Amino acid sequence: MEDLKEKLVKSGFGGELDDSKESREFFSHDASMFEIIPEIIAAPRDARDVEELVKFVAKHKKDNPKLSLTARSAGTDMSGAAINDSIIVDFKKHLNKLISVGEKRATVQPGMFFRDFDAQTAKHKSLLPSFPASRELCTVGGMVNNNSGGEKSLEFGKTEKYVPHMRFVFADGIERIVKPLSRTELIVKMAKKDFEGQVYKQIFELIEENYDAIKAAKPHVTKNSTGYRLWDVWDRETGIFDLSQIIIGAQGTLGFVTEATFNLVPRPEHSGLLVLFLHDIGGLGTLIPKVLEHKPATFEGFDDQTLLLSIKFLPSFLKMLGLKRFVHLLFTLIPDGFQMLRGIPKLVLMIEFTGATEHEVREKIVSLHKDLNPFKARYEINGIEEDPTEAASEKFWIMRRNSFQLLRSKVKDKHTAPFIDDFVVNPEYLVEFLPKIRRIIKKYKLFATIAGHMGDGNFHIIPLMKLEDPNDRKKLLPAMREVDELVLKYKGSLSGEHNDGLVRGPWLEEMYGRKIVHLFRETKDIFDPQHIFNPHKKANATWDYSYSHIRDHF
Ligand SMILES: Cc1cc2nc3c(=O)[nH]c(=O)nc-3n(C[C@H](O)[C@H](O)[C@H](O)COP(=O)(O)OP(=O)(O)OC[C@H]3O[C@@H](n4cnc5c(N)ncnc54)[C@H](O)[C@@H]3O)c2cc1C
């Protein structure tokens, strides 16, 4: 389209437009291994601007089929879903305000950083518990649209549980509230003659006609971010119809979220961490269920590569933490230095308990400690913390939360290649599953860190590769196929948190079968008949397209 910028200005769009080379280069990447250069970046100032953008693209799509809109908040997406070749809609620049906050609920625009939002909810002793490991980098909008989860998901679940309503711009360019409806409210909605009425009616019919198949398709894992969550929309028994459940986790492929209201939980007042250093992971399959019996608040872990990397790049934490916290970190690492003299542990497990009193937390830790004696792991019990900065356990959280970011910024000759980065396999299968996954990593000579949410069986394996080297590139497809096949053999999910995007979208059929993926595509067609939102992602992704956009210069 000739002079897109000029046409957008004339259309009534009141936000900022930027088609400079530097910005297009910057927005051509997210945290994935892909690269696509956009035509222009549009930063709306308010919801009206978002509506204008959608109306503009809807109007011109027929004449210019390449036109599309891809939402972007902080751009930390690891699946390649925050990049595209047409218009990138930057929500972080202006749509980043807190609308209201109280003890139980907060309403916020999508572009607000989670860290800023968290500072506000902390004043009310409340918490949005579904924050990801990228909590210092990501926005709440990205969390909603990826259906993010993190270290607290074991106890509290993912973002899907915390959004009672939202404002959403549909493909006709109109912002509306989306929230759960009763049967009577649904009937009224479906009778409306506009685009919204049509979406409700068609989605209801699609789910009703395929009700049993859709309910049966729900993955049997504690966490899942793949596909469109049709199984959580309509419940014949309760009579509740909640369209927002398809939007949460849809990666902006169905429309744009312009405001979200979150339910908050009380911020735990006391917490304590039991850390296990495992020199042999053979007993993991029995250890994990034993730990889970004690119902910890979090159960995380990272491997020896992550540990070595954190030690190697220790100075870079200085910038991240500031001098005072860095010195504290060094000081608290001294006992672990002595531990390392006995050999680097293969796996460090972090088990956190929370409670209303210090005594309660201490009791929980002591009881687990006793039960774990037969496992011959070395232990460190970190002081019971009242301090929300988790001072004594901070060193472990730093390693766990920042390993991927360290890999991205520090290892210069190789690059992070997140393509097997987020699968979930129920803990009962791990004893069999883990050695098999390690064998695949070895077979393809992948140098990879492993970290993850042990309690959910959700693992982040991040290989370091030279993606510009054809020999390394050649490994991607067969290694991914082997890992995916193994995960699915153990009834797992290909993504617990990071979602489909370009990297997992092409493999949805392997996970769900043709019929269900066909229903996903119909869902997309109902919401977005002209395919103006985030093309080539999720159910409409193909490996040929994704593969052709793997980064080849750095
Ligand atoms: C170091 C690191 C660690 C990570 N750890 C985790 C983890 O533990 N758990 C986890 O879930 N994820 C994790 N991620 C992935 C990512 O950070 C999260 O999913 C995060 O919530 C994305 O937020 P964002 O603001 O960066 O979103 P973006 O990357 O900007 O966008 C994410 C997706 O949402 C869409 N989107 C954004 N805003 C809107 C909107 N307003 N309307 C519609 N669609 C929109 C985008 O198009 C894209 O598809 C990690 C990433 C990194 C770099």
Side-chain angles (χ1 to χ4, degrees):
M1 179 181 257
E2 267 171 49
D3 208 356
L4 179 58
K5 194 172 182 179
E6 217 171 277
K7 286 207 161 73
L8 278 165
V9 173
K10 278 195 201 143
S11 75
F13 173 69
E16 280 177 59
L17 293 165
D18 183 353
D19 59 358
S20 66
K21 195 167 174 282
E22 304 72 52
S23 297
R24 290 170 63 222
E25 157 68 23
F26 176 80
F27 283 92
S28 67
H29 305 124
D30 47 19
S32 70
M33 58 180 182
F34 301 98
E35 173 178 67
I36 310 179
I37 301 177
E39 213 170 317
I40 196 164
I41 295 94
R45 292 182 201 280
D46 50 29
R48 206 194 64 86
D49 279 343
V50 180
E51 292 183 330
E52 289 303 332
L53 278 175
V54 176
K55 282 181 189 147
F56 173 85
V57 175
K59 185 172 159 199
H60 295 283
K61 182 77 179 173
K62 269 203 188 78
D63 307 330
N64 185 355
K66 263 200 73 191
L67 261 189
S68 70
L69 292 163
T70 293
R72 174 153 172 142
S73 289
T76 65
D77 190 281
M78 292 173 71
S79 69
I83 52 176
N84 233 316
D85 62 358
S86 186
I87 304 171
I88 296 287
V89 185
D90 177 2
F91 280 90
K92 182 169 64 98
K93 197 157 196 182
H94 301 296
L95 279 168
N96 53 21
K97 318 274 178 318
L98 183 69
I99 313 285
S100 64
V101 59
E103 193 191 328
K104 299 236 159 71
R105 271 195 180 182
T107 298
V108 60
Q109 291 180 331
M112 187 174 199
F113 278 111
F114 174 78
R115 59 176 190 250
D116 298 336
F117 178 72
D118 192 53
Q120 294 301 321
T121 57
K123 290 181 190 162
H124 298 266
K125 298 199 163 131
S126 302
L127 174 74
L128 174 61
S130 61
F131 59 82
S134 51
R135 52 177 286 150
E136 299 298 320
L137 310 169
C138 77
T139 67
V140 293
M143 286 170 60
V144 171
N145 290 286
N146 267 353
N147 190 13
S148 284
E151 66 209 34
K152 296 217 179 289
S153 296
L154 183 62
E155 184 178 11
F156 291 104
K158 301 208 308 160
T159 306
E160 67 200 39
K161 283 181 71 183
Y162 295 96
V163 191
H165 51 91
M166 60 167 75
R167 286 181 181 273
F168 181 73
V169 175
F170 285 74
D172 62 346
I174 296 179
E175 184 196 57
R176 302 176 177 95
I177 290 175
V178 181
K179 60 176 189 175
L181 302 180
S182 67
R183 212 182 284 264
T184 322
E185 288 167 322
L186 175 65
I187 291 167
V188 174
K189 252 315 174 219
M190 291 196 295
K192 287 179 71 190
K193 296 285 171 244
D194 62 0
F195 184 69
E196 185 192 27
Q198 185 183 311
V199 169
Y200 273 90
K201 186 167 180 295
Q202 292 183 0
I203 292 288
F204 175 74
E205 285 168 0
L206 181 135
I207 299 178
E208 254 303 318
E209 279 162 22
N210 302 281
Y211 193 83
D212 293 336
I214 285 173
K215 292 283 176 189
K218 181 174 181 165
H220 293 287
V221 285
T222 54
K223 276 168 148 181
N224 170 53
S225 266
T226 61
Y228 293 119
R229 294 177 19 259
L230 289 166
W231 39 85
D232 287 333
V233 175
W234 167 233
D235 187 330
R236 281 179 185 162
E237 273 167 36
T238 61
I240 301 291
F241 186 91
D242 185 359
L243 198 66
S244 65
Q245 291 304 327
I246 326 184
I247 296 168
I248 299 167
Q251 298 200 292
T253 57
L254 305 179
F256 290 157
V257 175
T258 40
E259 193 179 288
T261 294
F262 293 107
N263 285 331
L264 307 171
V265 301
R267 206 168 268 262
E269 281 181 41
H270 300 271
S271 66
L273 194 70
L274 179 68
V275 182
L276 272 66
F277 300 92
L278 292 189
H279 289 268
D280 171 12
I281 62 162
L284 204 58
T286 38
L287 186 144
I288 291 178
K290 179 56 69 193
V291 173
L292 290 177
E293 277 172 23
H294 288 255
K295 303 213 177 320
T298 66
F299 183 9
E300 303 280 300
F302 54 83
D303 69 345
D304 45 358
Q305 299 291 1
T306 310
L307 187 63
L308 288 168
L309 199 82
S310 301
I311 294 166
K312 185 168 170 200
F313 296 117
L314 201 59
S316 53
F317 288 127
L318 174 61
K319 204 166 148 210
M320 218 180 271
L321 302 174
L323 186 63
K324 198 170 153 217
R325 280 171 73 201
F326 180 68
V327 171
H328 176 82
L329 172 72
L330 290 182
F331 185 70
T332 54
L333 275 171
I334 292 170
D336 305 296
F338 286 115
Q339 282 277 13
M340 301 309 150
L341 293 177
R342 300 182 188 129
I344 301 284
K346 280 221 159 46
L347 203 60
V348 177
L349 297 180
M350 305 157 61
I351 306 156
E352 188 185 52
F353 290 95
T354 54
T357 64
E358 194 179 309
H359 177 73
E360 184 190 333
V361 176
R362 201 177 292 280
E363 290 276 287
K364 287 180 186 173
I365 291 185
V366 169
S367 153
L368 174 64
H369 194 185
K370 225 160 95 193
D371 261 14
L372 291 182
N373 271 342
F375 289 95
K376 292 201 179 90
R378 295 192 191 287
Y379 306 94
E380 175 169 329
I381 301 180
N382 277 268
I384 309 296
E385 290 305 318
E386 289 173 52
D387 177 355
T389 59
E390 304 155 333
S393 3
E394 189 178 30
K395 56 195 166 181
F396 298 106
W397 286 118
I398 287 172
M399 292 180 213
R400 168 65 191 89
R401 288 177 186 146
N402 295 300
S403 56
F404 177 58
Q405 200 55 10
L406 263 183
L407 284 173
R408 290 184 70 211
S409 57
K410 291 289 160 198
V411 185
K412 290 292 176 219
D413 59 330
K414 290 191 175 173
H415 321 286
T416 46
F419 67 99
I420 45 172
D421 52 298
D422 194 31
F423 56 78
V424 189
V425 165
N426 275 341
E428 75 242 39
Y429 300 121
L430 290 181
V431 68
E432 264 179 57
F433 174 84
L434 282 177
K436 291 183 182 166
I437 206 86
R438 285 180 92 94
R439 243 173 270 146
I440 299 175
I441 293 174
K442 210 167 158 194
K443 174 175 165 190
Y444 289 95
K445 298 195 176 70
L446 299 173
F447 174 78
T449 58
I450 306 180
H453 313 286
M454 300 293 152
D456 293 310
N458 180 199
F459 288 85
H460 304 313
I461 298 184
I462 316 275
L464 276 173
M465 299 174 83
K466 281 196 170 170
L467 285 171
E468 63 277 31
D469 178 346
N471 286 329
D472 257 15
R473 247 175 214 243
K474 261 198 274 173
K475 294 178 183 175
L476 290 175
L477 186 58
M480 181 161 55
R481 278 201 173 279
E482 277 198 47
V483 171
D484 289 359
E485 265 169 34
L486 189 66
V487 169
L488 297 178
K489 189 176 151 201
Y490 285 98
K491 303 185 181 73
S493 165
L494 302 183
S495 175
E497 309 176 326
H498 301 170
N499 218 304
D500 299 322
L502 291 167
V503 74
R504 277 170 289 269
W507 313 110
L508 287 175
E509 225 169 87
E510 266 77 358
M511 180 167 166
Y512 288 102
R514 286 181 89 165
K515 182 182 161 100
I516 296 297
V517 172
H518 181 70
L519 296 178
F520 290 162
R521 292 196 184 121
E522 278 191 54
T523 301
K524 165 78 176 172
D525 293 345
I526 292 169
F527 269 90
D528 183 15
Q530 291 198 83
H531 288 209
I532 61 177
F533 296 116
N534 212 357
H536 306 290
K537 313 291 162 56
K538 281 190 96 73
N540 288 308
T542 60
W543 182 243
D544 282 351
Y545 180 88
S546 302
Y547 189 76
S548 68
H549 287 93
I550 291 176
R551 264 182 107 157
D552 58 7
H553 68 275
F554 294 87

